[in-house]
Amino acid sequence: MPSSTAAANKKLDSTNRKEYPVTERPTRKQLANAIRALSMDAVEQARSGHPGMPMGMADIAEVLWNDFLNHNPSNPRWHDRDRFVLSNGHGSMLLYSLAYLTGYRLEIEELQQFRQFGQRTAGHPERDLDIGIETTTGPLGQGLANAVGMALAEKVLAGDFNRPDIKIVDHHTYVFLGDGCLMEGISHEACSLAGTLELGKLIALYDDNGITIDGETAGWFTDDTASRFRSYGWHVIDNVDGHDALSISSALKNAQSETQRPTLIICKTVIGFGAPNKQGTADTHGAPLGTDEIEAARSELEWNHPPFSVPDNILKEWDKRSKGAALETKWQKRFDAYKSTYPELAEEYLRRMEGRLPLDWRNQSATAISKVIEEAKDVATRKASLRALEAYAPFLPELMGGSADLTGSNLTLHSRSTAINKTNSNGNYIYFGVREFGMTAILNGMSLHGGFIPYGGTFLVFSDYARNALRMAALMRIQNISVLTHDSIGLGEDGPTHQPVEHIASLRAIPNMNVWRPCDGVETAVAWRSAIERKDGPTSLILTRQSLPHIDRTANQIETISCGGYTLLESDGDPELVIIATGSEVNLALLSAQELVSDGIRVRVVSMPCTEIFDIQPVDYRSQILPDTNARRLVIEAGIKDSWWRYVDGKGDVIGMNTFGHSAPASLLFEHYGFTVKAIVSRARQMLSV
C-alpha cells in the first residue's frame, strides 16, 4: 500500500467519527458517496487518474443505475439490457465503482489495483462485458458516437423483429459525456445525425461543470449547448441540479417519456464534489487529491470508513443482481412467447445477436465467387465490391451499410438496400452525409450492440478523418468493414488533395487491422468474404476507381487467395526474381514478368492482397511463396513504400511513391511515377545485373 494511503488510514483511525450503522437504510447521498470514496481512494493508491468527474457525476450515476438502468450484473450479455456508455472515459473509476457496487464480477482488489499492469481496471475503460463496459472510451466524443450507433441498432432491430403483440427489442442507450466530448467535432457529426434519424431511445447526460484540464471553460467554450442540440432536433432538458436526486430522477422520467427525439439532459455539477478545498477547480481533474484533501473530503462527505471499505448496508442497497435477474426473467418469458408464435424470427434474432453466419454461408459464398470467376469481367474493384454485395446481401440481412456522401462513387448501395430515415426503421442503408469520423464510430457502436455486420464507405484519402475510430475498432477487436475507394494516383485529375499515397501504409500500421487491396473481381469477392467472416477486428477494403483486367487462375490459386498472398505466376525452375504486387499493379507485374521471361529470366509473380493475413500463415507456406534464396525481390504498389521493405529483406527494391501526386490524367501519372512495364523491366534488369 502506498504511503499516502497508509497515512490516510492512520489519520482516520485516530478520529472518533461514528460509522454508519449497517442496519440503517442508507440515503441517496450516502450511496453516491460510495462512488466518490472508491474513486478518490483508487486514484490516490495508483497515484494517477481523474477523481474529479466520478465525484462530480456520482449523484447522477446513483439515480440512473439504481432506478432507471435495466441490466443484469449476473448476465452482462443479456440481449435486451440497456446500454450504458461512459464517453468521458477519463472518469473510469466511476464505471469501475458502479460495476463493483452493483454486483458485476469485479472484486475490490481490482479497484485497489487501478491502472496497474494486467488489471481490468485500466486508466480508461476497455470493453469488457463481464464488468459492464460496453465500449472502450477515452478519445473524447467517440463514446457518444458509439452510443448513437447502439441506439440506431436498437431502433432497426426493433423494426426488424418486434411485432404488435410482442416486443423483444425494447431498451435505452444512456451515455455520460463532458465538455470535452462536446468540443470534439465528432459530437456534431454524430448528434446531428441522431436528431435527424429521431433516435428516441438515446438519452445523454451532460456533466456541465465548466472545467477542463486547462481550467475554466469560459475562456474557450461558450457555446449555447441547449440551443445547439435543439437545432439538431433533440429534446433538451437543461439546468438540472446534478447533485439533487429528485431533479435528476425527474429529468430521466421526462427523457424516457420522449419516444421520438433523443434527449440531452444538461446537469449542472461541481467537479470533485466533496473535496472542500479543490472542488470546482481543474486541480481535481487529472491528478490524485492528496492525503490531506482526501481526509478533508471524508470529513465533508461524512464518510467514516477506511479506504476501499463500503459498509454492508450500502453494498446491499447497491446490489442489482436480484433485480437484474428478475428483469431478464421477465424478458425471457416474453421471448419464449415470441419464439412460440414466431419461431423462425426468434431463431434469426438469436443468430444475428450471437454473431453467427447462416448455416449455408460457405456454400453460398463459394457459389458467389464461382460466378465472378465465370463472368471473367474486367472491372474496377469498387464495382467488383458492389457485385460482391449484390451476391452476399440476399442471405445476410445483418449487412448494414452506408457512405459518407459518396454512395454513387463508393458503390455501397446494392439492389436490396433500403434507406433508414426518421419514418423508416426497417432499412439496411444509412446516408451518413459528410461525416467520415462520425460514420465509422457510429458503425462501431452498431457492431458493439450486436445484430449487424456494419460497413461504411468513403474515399481512401478521407480515411484520415475516420482514423481514430478505425483504430478503436482494431483496439476493441470488433467487426467494422471500411469500403475505401479511389485508392491511388489513379484518381487522376482530382489531384494530390484526393490522391492517397500514404494511407495504405498508415492503415497497415494499425495493429489488428486487416487491409485488403484486391487486383480484380475475384480477389475482391474473396476479400469481402474474409471481412464478413472476421469477427475479431476491422477490415479495410482498398478499391480502385479505374477498371482492372480479370486474371485467370487455377483452382489452387483461387483457394490460396484467402491466405493473403499467393503465387500468381510460377517460374520455370527456382526463381531468379520474385515480383510482389497488389491491386492495380498486379497486372503490371504480370506484363513485366512476361517480358522478362522472354529474355530467359526465371520470374515468379506474387499477388499479396492482404499482408496481415499472409503474415500469420504457417512458416512453411510463407517460405514456399517467398523462398529464402538468393532470388531478388521487387515490390510494386502505387503508394508510399514504407510497409514493404520487410519483404524485400535487402534483396531488392520497392517501386512506389515518395511524394504526393499531381492533377493529371491517370495514365500520365502512372507513367510519370514509373508504374509502367518499361520502367519495371528496366529496374528488374538493373537489380539482376548487380
Side-chain angles (χ1 to χ4, degrees):
M1 179 179 294
S3 58
S4 59
T5 304
N9 275 326
K10 186 176 180 180
K11 286 188 176 183
L12 183 64
D13 294 340
S14 68
T15 67
N16 294 316
R17 298 180 193 146
K18 184 180 178 182
E19 293 192 0
Y20 299 135
V22 296
T23 57
E24 180 181 298
R25 185 168 186 180
T27 65
R28 307 206 75 139
K29 189 62 71 176
Q30 289 168 345
L31 294 173
N33 287 345
I35 298 172
R36 294 186 171 103
L38 290 171
S39 297
M40 67 183 185
D41 287 341
V43 172
E44 189 69 23
Q45 180 133 310
R47 302 191 179 201
S48 174
H50 300 75
M53 188 281 267
M55 298 176 76
M57 294 196 80
D59 296 302
I60 305 168
E62 187 276 318
V63 173
L64 175 64
W65 279 62
N66 276 323
D67 293 0
F68 291 89
L69 193 72
N70 291 333
H71 64 121
N72 183 7
S74 298
N75 181 18
R77 290 168 174 78
W78 169 32
H79 295 319
D80 202 42
R81 68 189 182 278
D82 289 337
R83 271 53 170 187
F84 175 78
V85 175
L86 190 74
S87 189
N88 41 353
H90 55 272
S92 57
M93 270 309 305
L94 176 81
L95 187 49
Y96 303 144
S97 299
L98 288 165
Y100 167 70
L101 291 166
T102 56
Y104 286 85
R105 299 181 185 94
L106 186 69
E107 304 299 325
I108 193 67
E109 290 79 10
E110 295 180 269
L111 271 61
Q112 294 170 329
Q113 292 295 311
F114 176 55
R115 287 185 165 227
Q116 304 310 300
F117 181 79
Q119 299 297 314
R120 296 187 294 175
T121 48
H124 293 82
E126 297 178 19
R127 185 195 184 212
D128 186 346
L129 292 184
D130 287 341
I131 56 174
I133 305 175
E134 299 280 356
T135 180
T136 301
T137 57
L140 292 176
Q142 282 200 69
L144 176 56
N146 293 166
V148 171
M150 293 175 186
L152 179 56
E154 192 274 345
K155 182 173 183 176
V156 176
L157 280 172
D160 287 347
F161 291 102
N162 286 350
R163 292 298 179 265
D165 56 330
I166 308 179
K167 290 183 179 180
I168 61 167
V169 182
D170 188 13
H171 54 265
H172 286 85
T173 299
Y174 298 95
V175 54
F176 280 10
L177 61 128
D179 301 296
C181 294
L182 292 183
M183 281 185 261
E184 290 287 358
I186 191 173
S187 69
H188 169 68
E189 295 183 33
C191 294
S192 171
L193 186 62
T196 298
L197 296 179
E198 296 186 349
L199 303 181
K201 294 281 191 69
L202 174 63
I203 299 174
L205 295 108
Y206 167 34
D207 182 29
D208 185 14
N209 59 36
I211 297 292
T212 59
I213 293 174
D214 282 350
E216 296 182 8
T217 59
W220 49 85
F221 184 55
T222 58
D223 298 14
D224 183 344
T225 298
S227 294
R228 172 187 164 188
F229 274 76
R230 287 189 180 106
S231 76
Y232 292 154
W234 283 55
H235 174 218
V236 178
I237 306 169
D238 55 1
N239 294 309
V240 174
D241 184 346
H243 301 295
D244 181 74
L246 288 176
S247 296
I248 300 163
S249 181
S250 176
L252 283 165
K253 289 176 182 176
N254 186 351
Q256 287 190 339
S257 69
E258 172 58 60
T259 59
Q260 186 171 344
R261 297 172 294 171
T263 296
L264 178 70
I265 302 174
I266 302 176
C267 301
K268 297 292 184 180
T269 62
V270 177
I271 191 171
F273 183 93
N277 304 303
K278 293 186 176 183
Q279 65 180 16
T281 72
D283 290 342
T284 69
H285 184 280
L289 296 179
T291 302
D292 292 341
E293 188 67 9
I294 284 181
E295 179 65 10
R298 280 190 158 84
S299 179
E300 180 78 9
L301 298 169
E302 299 182 351
W303 186 261
N304 304 313
H305 315 288
F308 300 106
S309 178
V310 181
D312 289 343
N313 65 326
I314 293 178
L315 283 174
K316 182 179 179 181
E317 193 71 20
W318 265 111
D319 194 331
K320 293 296 174 289
R321 286 174 289 186
S322 295
K323 180 182 177 181
L327 287 168
E328 184 176 354
T329 297
K330 185 178 179 181
W331 176 84
Q332 187 62 51
K333 289 180 179 177
R334 200 161 66 247
F335 184 77
D336 290 342
Y338 181 88
K339 187 176 181 179
S340 178
T341 307
Y342 309 105
E344 292 182 359
L345 279 173
E347 174 54 36
E348 179 68 1
Y349 171 79
L350 290 175
R351 181 190 71 78
R352 286 177 56 174
M353 289 302 294
E354 293 167 3
R356 292 183 278 116
L357 291 169
L359 290 175
D360 60 347
W361 162 251
R362 292 302 297 185
N363 289 332
Q364 294 276 20
S365 59
T367 300
I369 293 169
S370 295
K371 186 176 179 181
V372 174
I373 296 166
E374 291 170 7
E375 290 176 345
K377 289 185 177 181
D378 297 352
V379 64
T381 51
R382 62 171 176 154
K383 292 183 178 179
S385 171
L386 176 58
R387 290 181 179 177
L389 279 171
E390 293 284 4
Y392 297 145
F395 46 97
L396 289 175
E398 60 264 45
L399 270 177
M400 173 64 69
S403 178
D405 204 51
L406 289 167
T407 293
S409 294
N410 300 147
L411 301 180
T412 44
L413 184 76
H414 56 83
S415 59
R416 290 176 177 261
S417 296
T418 302
I420 297 167
N421 53 51
K422 61 184 179 182
T423 60
N424 178 42
S425 59
N426 294 96
N428 59 359
Y429 196 82
I430 309 161
Y431 288 97
F432 281 102
V434 188
R435 298 182 175 101
E436 295 89 356
F437 192 6
M439 171 184 72
T440 309
I442 288 168
L443 292 174
N444 282 348
M446 298 194 78
S447 182
L448 289 160
H449 181 279
F452 297 96
I453 298 174
Y455 67 94
T458 186
F459 284 3
L460 174 58
V461 75
F462 301 136
S463 64
D464 280 342
Y465 289 141
R467 182 177 175 83
N468 201 261
L470 293 169
R471 180 178 185 270
M472 294 299 287
L475 180 62
M476 289 189 279
R477 305 189 71 82
I478 59 173
Q479 188 173 36
N480 189 342
I481 304 170
S482 294
V483 181
L484 304 172
T485 69
H486 298 61
D487 71 342
S488 71
I489 55 173
L491 185 55
E493 290 88 345
D494 277 340
T497 62
H498 283 54
Q499 293 168 4
V501 292
E502 77 275 24
H503 298 74
I504 302 174
S506 174
L507 290 169
R508 288 180 180 138
I510 300 175
N512 197 42
M513 170 68 75
N514 280 1
V515 181
W516 281 86
R517 188 171 183 243
C519 71
D520 69 352
V522 180
E523 285 192 357
T524 304
V526 173
W528 259 107
R529 182 180 68 185
S530 173
I532 288 167
E533 292 178 350
R534 190 182 191 218
K535 302 298 183 180
D536 61 351
T539 301
S540 293
L541 304 176
I542 313 300
L543 307 170
T544 66
R545 177 196 191 190
Q546 71 273 23
S547 183
L548 302 179
H550 170 80
I551 296 172
D552 291 324
R553 298 171 178 83
T554 66
N556 182 66
Q557 288 173 324
I558 294 166
E559 185 68 24
T560 52
I561 293 173
S562 60
C563 296
Y566 64 103
T567 299
L568 197 54
L569 176 69
E570 187 56 279
S571 59
D572 185 11
D574 293 337
E576 299 172 77
L577 174 68
V578 178
I579 302 178
I580 307 166
T582 74
S584 52
E585 287 69 70
V586 170
N587 188 58
L588 269 177
L590 289 171
L591 294 173
S592 301
Q594 289 175 12
E595 186 165 330
L596 292 165
V597 169
S598 68
D599 289 344
I601 299 170
R602 300 187 302 276
V603 183
R604 173 182 293 175
V605 175
V606 172
S607 177
M608 197 172 293
C610 185
T611 61
E612 295 79 17
I613 293 179
F614 179 78
D615 288 346
I616 63 173
Q617 299 304 309
V619 172
D620 288 349
Y621 179 81
R622 285 182 281 134
S623 61
Q624 176 187 342
I625 304 302
L626 299 177
D628 188 17
T629 65
N630 291 323
R632 311 292 282 179
R633 297 180 183 178
L634 181 62
V635 178
I636 314 168
E637 186 172 68
I640 292 296
K641 306 174 183 180
D642 290 7
S643 63
W644 287 108
W645 292 109
R646 69 185 189 276
Y647 295 105
V648 171
D649 195 27
K651 300 176 181 178
D653 200 2
V654 179
I655 295 177
M657 301 286 295
N658 56 19
T659 69
F660 295 109
H662 289 280
S663 179
S667 57
L668 190 154
L669 292 174
F670 279 119
E671 182 175 358
H672 176 76
Y673 288 107
F675 298 103
T676 64
V677 172
K678 181 180 179 181
I680 294 166
V681 168
S682 176
R683 182 67 189 113
R685 287 170 174 162
Q686 289 175 10
M687 289 167 49
L688 292 168
S689 66
V690 175

